[in-house]
């Protein structure tokens, strides 16, 4: 049996057994097989191109994300550096005023805090005491108000730096410590310039 439109010159012959057991010749057009193969090849190439494009897109997206993250990190570093310089420029008066704002203590604390900072560190936010009893016990006093790390951590003021050498954060921790131990700065001998220096 011949199929309409087949090209006999390019036919592939095969056999097929009929239900009665008789053999019947089947011809399949070679052009049809070649066309189907070409379709499969084209589909494979299309899939490869799609995968390559997808990989390129992912790589490009990852590169853009990395570049944006680097830019954000650089901007954060620039903001931190600007804030550090501004803080250093403020000096002891600016540090203590900022400390009063973040802790909410009344203005009459200013004089006492100034006296403590002068006596404890000489207004040096990086002061380090490596010889007193705290240092001997393994917890040296640090910063503007010479707080130890356990005291700084226990009385840390929310919203301030966790760097113990940050003068505002150090002051705020000292204020919170004074409130918890003395209630008011007027009861702290070290804050009274008319009294002899005494650790607080």
């Amino acid at each position: 049996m011949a199929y309409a439109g087949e090209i006999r010159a390019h036919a592939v012959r095969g056999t097929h057994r009929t239900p009665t057991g008789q053999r019947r010749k089947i011809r399949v057009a070679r052009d049809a097989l070649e066309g189907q193969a070409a379709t499969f090849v084209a589909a494979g190439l299309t899939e490869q191109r799609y995968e390559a494009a997808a990989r390129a897109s992912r790589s490009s997206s990852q590169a853009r994300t990395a570049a944006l993250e680097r830019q954000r990190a650089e901007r954060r570093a620039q903001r931190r550096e600007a804030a550090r310089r501004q803080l250093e420029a403020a000096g002891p008066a600016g540090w203590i005023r900022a400390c009063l704002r973040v802790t909410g203590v009344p203005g009459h604390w200013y004089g006492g805090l100034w006296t403590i900072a002068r006596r404890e560190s000489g207004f040096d936010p990086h002061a380090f005491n490596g010889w007193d009893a705290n240092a001997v016990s393994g917890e040296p006093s640090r910063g503007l108000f010479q707080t130890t790390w356990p005291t700084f951590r226990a009385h840390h003021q929310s919203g301030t730096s966790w760097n113990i050498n940050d003068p505002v954060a150090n002051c705020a921790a000292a204020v919170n410590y004074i409130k918890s131990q003395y209630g008011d700065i007027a009861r702290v001998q070290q804050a009274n310039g008319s009294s002899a220096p005494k650790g607080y």
Side-chain angles (χ1 to χ4, degrees):
M1 176 179 179
Y3 291 87
E6 78 175 9
I7 302 175
R8 296 178 183 277
H10 299 287
V12 178
R13 298 176 182 275
T15 60
H16 175 69
R17 189 177 297 277
T18 63
T20 59
Q22 297 177 351
R23 292 179 180 274
R24 184 175 64 182
K25 293 181 179 180
I26 298 176
R27 299 187 182 102
V28 179
R30 186 182 300 275
D31 289 350
L33 292 175
E34 291 176 350
Q36 189 176 34
T39 300
F40 291 154
V41 170
L45 290 174
T46 300
E47 184 176 357
Q48 291 174 3
R49 293 192 187 100
Y50 172 80
E51 291 176 353
R55 285 193 298 271
S57 177
R58 286 194 296 270
S59 177
S60 177
S61 176
Q62 290 168 354
R64 286 196 300 271
T65 300
L68 287 172
E69 184 55 37
R70 284 194 298 271
Q71 291 174 1
R72 294 190 190 102
E74 290 172 0
R75 286 195 292 269
R76 288 194 295 269
Q78 291 169 356
R79 286 195 295 269
R80 286 195 299 268
E81 179 62 15
R84 184 188 67 79
R85 291 179 179 178
Q86 184 178 12
L87 186 62
E88 287 181 351
W95 302 335
I96 294 173
R97 290 193 186 95
C99 176
L100 295 178
R101 285 195 300 272
V102 297
T103 56
V105 293
H108 74 263
W109 279 58
Y110 179 90
L113 292 174
W114 178 275
T115 301
I116 292 176
R118 177 175 57 80
R119 286 177 166 179
E120 291 288 333
S121 68
F123 301 117
D124 180 3
H126 299 284
F128 177 87
N129 186 328
W131 56 266
D132 68 359
N134 290 328
V136 171
S137 67
E139 293 294 346
S141 303
R142 307 168 187 265
L144 190 66
F145 284 77
Q146 290 293 281
T147 61
T148 63
W149 175 246
T151 298
F152 179 80
R153 182 175 60 241
H155 297 90
H156 177 260
Q157 176 66 43
S158 176
T160 64
S161 172
W162 277 99
N163 181 355
I164 196 171
N165 293 120
D166 180 288
V168 176
N170 194 281
C171 176
V175 166
N176 291 334
Y177 168 78
I178 290 169
K179 287 194 295 185
S180 69
Q181 296 296 313
Y182 300 91
D184 189 86
I185 198 167
R187 300 189 180 96
V188 181
Q189 181 173 322
Q190 186 73 324
N192 188 344
S194 300
S195 301
K198 182 181 179 181
Y200 69 106

